[in-house]
Amino acid sequence: MKPVIFGLSGPVLTPQARAFFAECEPAGYILFKRNIVDRAQVRALTDSLRALAGRDDLAILIDQEGGRVARMGPPEWPAFPAGPVFDAAYERAPMTAIQAARANGQALGVMLSEVGITVDCAPLLDVAQPDTTEAVACRTFGSDPMRVAALGRATLEGLAEGGVVGIVKHMPGHGRAKLDTHHHLPTVTATDAELDIDIEPFRTLNQAPMGMTSHIVFDAWDPDRPATLSRIVIDRIIRQRIGFDGLLMTDDIDMKALSGTAGDKAAGAIEAGCDIVLDCWARMDEMIEIAGRLGEISDSSRGRLDRAMASVGQTKGDFADLIATRDALLERA
């Protein structure tokens, strides 16, 4: 097994992709809107991926946060609220907001489980700042670390009850970045003491099964490398100071924050201490390069992957009831 999660080019597996994936055996796959048509098609696609891998516990990811980050949406599936909705509800009624976030997460889990998706790239634990890039600010649970952790925990628990694994992101924190890492490499100049605020939600939820890095340079920790490629940040901050021992994957290595070839970035992330590389765009030449640069997944990383995928049980809950419960709680808050 290669320590990489690959994207797919369309709504079905092409013969070329099928042959390549069978040979290199990636750790999992990630779906985007280009892979989504309707329930029957998505279920058929995920079933084909499991059959190809020969594993029922295959990691099949999607970014389904709510708000602007939603790969499955109307009219086939309902729209979900984003983090700021729960942040605002918490301001009025904290416990009610936490219950709503848990019901929302469980509804997401049930919806994804129905079509064979096993991992949701949520929740964000980024602590918002006044100048947080809009690409992140519109998705966060707010600016209070305790609130972010509480709503993040409820979302993680709900996702697990719905039958999918959640991913906490973007470690060790994206809130101070003023630039969108899809397009630029941000540098954060905050002090180590100031950054303690950013890592607090991740430290509180350090038992999460999966985490995702951020492509951000933190001057206080490693002024030369973004977190994804920094052994200092991954070892000293994420693994030791935060205490996270779950599966650590990169954010999409195709983002413009990172430079170099696809193979360079993938190899650099694994060398820095990431367990898994995330490569989203299904460009065959780049996937071949990545597979050629990466060895087999390490025993420790495979153990973390297996533990993460075993962390959830059977899907629980009725989708319509969960949506109704969430909406009633948000209205009451």
Side-chain angles (χ1 to χ4, degrees):
M1 177 189 292
K2 295 284 186 179
V4 61
I5 291 167
F6 282 133
L8 308 172
S9 61
V12 297
L13 266 179
T14 66
Q16 183 186 25
R18 181 183 295 276
F20 170 70
F21 294 146
E23 180 180 357
C24 80
E25 193 186 354
Y29 303 90
I30 184 165
L31 305 185
F32 287 86
K33 283 187 178 181
R34 65 179 181 269
N35 310 120
I36 306 293
V37 178
D38 55 32
R39 286 171 171 80
Q41 171 270 326
V42 179
R43 185 74 214 200
L45 177 59
T46 59
D47 284 347
S48 70
L49 293 171
R50 269 183 290 276
L52 181 63
R55 304 199 312 276
D56 288 337
D57 65 346
L58 180 65
I60 303 176
L61 286 62
I62 197 167
D63 286 296
Q64 195 72 23
E65 299 172 10
R68 70 157 65 170
V69 181
R71 315 308 184 195
M72 298 161 59
E76 187 75 7
W77 297 276
F80 279 72
V85 171
F86 299 97
D87 178 30
Y90 191 103
E91 189 71 26
R92 301 186 298 268
M95 290 309 300
T96 302
I98 289 171
Q99 292 170 342
R102 183 177 289 110
N104 186 71
Q106 190 173 354
L108 279 168
V110 170
M111 182 180 83
L112 300 180
S113 295
E114 180 188 26
V115 293
I117 294 168
T118 54
V119 182
D120 191 9
C121 300
L124 270 75
L125 299 186
D126 303 315
V127 179
Q129 300 289 332
D131 52 2
T132 298
T133 175
E134 177 60 19
V136 171
C138 68
R139 301 152 59 193
T140 72
F141 288 126
S143 58
D144 174 41
M146 184 182 74
R147 181 181 304 189
V148 171
L151 293 170
R153 184 189 300 278
T155 301
L156 272 179
E157 291 173 350
L159 287 168
E161 290 167 2
V164 303
V165 183
I167 303 175
V168 295
K169 61 186 189 183
H170 306 83
M171 302 176 84
H174 208 305
R176 294 184 192 272
K178 301 176 184 179
L179 300 174
D180 182 354
T181 51
H182 291 86
H183 307 293
H184 308 281
L185 174 61
T187 296
V188 169
T189 59
T191 66
D192 178 82
E194 290 169 330
L195 290 168
D196 207 51
I197 295 170
D198 302 65
I199 67 176
E200 185 178 333
F202 295 104
R203 192 160 46 201
T204 301
L205 300 184
N206 63 10
Q207 296 301 308
M210 293 185 177
M212 180 182 289
T213 64
S214 59
H215 303 328
I216 297 170
V217 172
F218 294 90
D219 273 351
W221 297 328
D222 187 346
D224 299 319
R225 301 171 190 83
T228 299
L229 301 176
S230 171
R231 179 165 289 280
I232 295 170
V233 174
I234 291 173
D235 182 47
R236 297 183 189 174
I237 305 302
I238 295 176
R239 293 301 190 192
Q240 295 183 36
R241 189 159 158 188
I242 290 175
F244 178 74
D245 191 39
L247 183 84
L248 185 65
M249 70 181 69
T250 72
D251 206 342
D252 180 17
I253 62 167
D254 188 65
M255 290 181 179
K256 303 313 176 191
L258 302 184
S259 59
T261 70
D264 290 340
K265 292 181 282 188
I270 296 298
E271 183 178 354
C274 292
D275 293 304
I276 297 281
V277 170
L278 181 61
D279 178 65
C280 295
W281 293 101
R283 301 183 184 106
M284 185 56 68
D285 58 337
E286 293 180 355
M287 293 194 294
I288 290 171
E289 181 190 359
I290 290 167
R293 291 288 299 275
L294 298 181
E296 290 296 296
I297 191 170
S298 70
D299 290 342
S300 59
S301 295
R302 180 61 189 266
R304 290 181 179 123
L305 174 62
D306 291 344
R307 287 197 303 273
M309 296 311 299
S311 67
V312 296
Q314 296 297 313
T315 304
K316 299 176 184 176
D318 178 81
F319 182 71
D321 288 347
L322 290 164
I323 293 292
T325 297
R326 178 204 65 197
D327 290 348
L329 288 165
L330 288 174
E331 185 175 352
R332 196 169 76 206

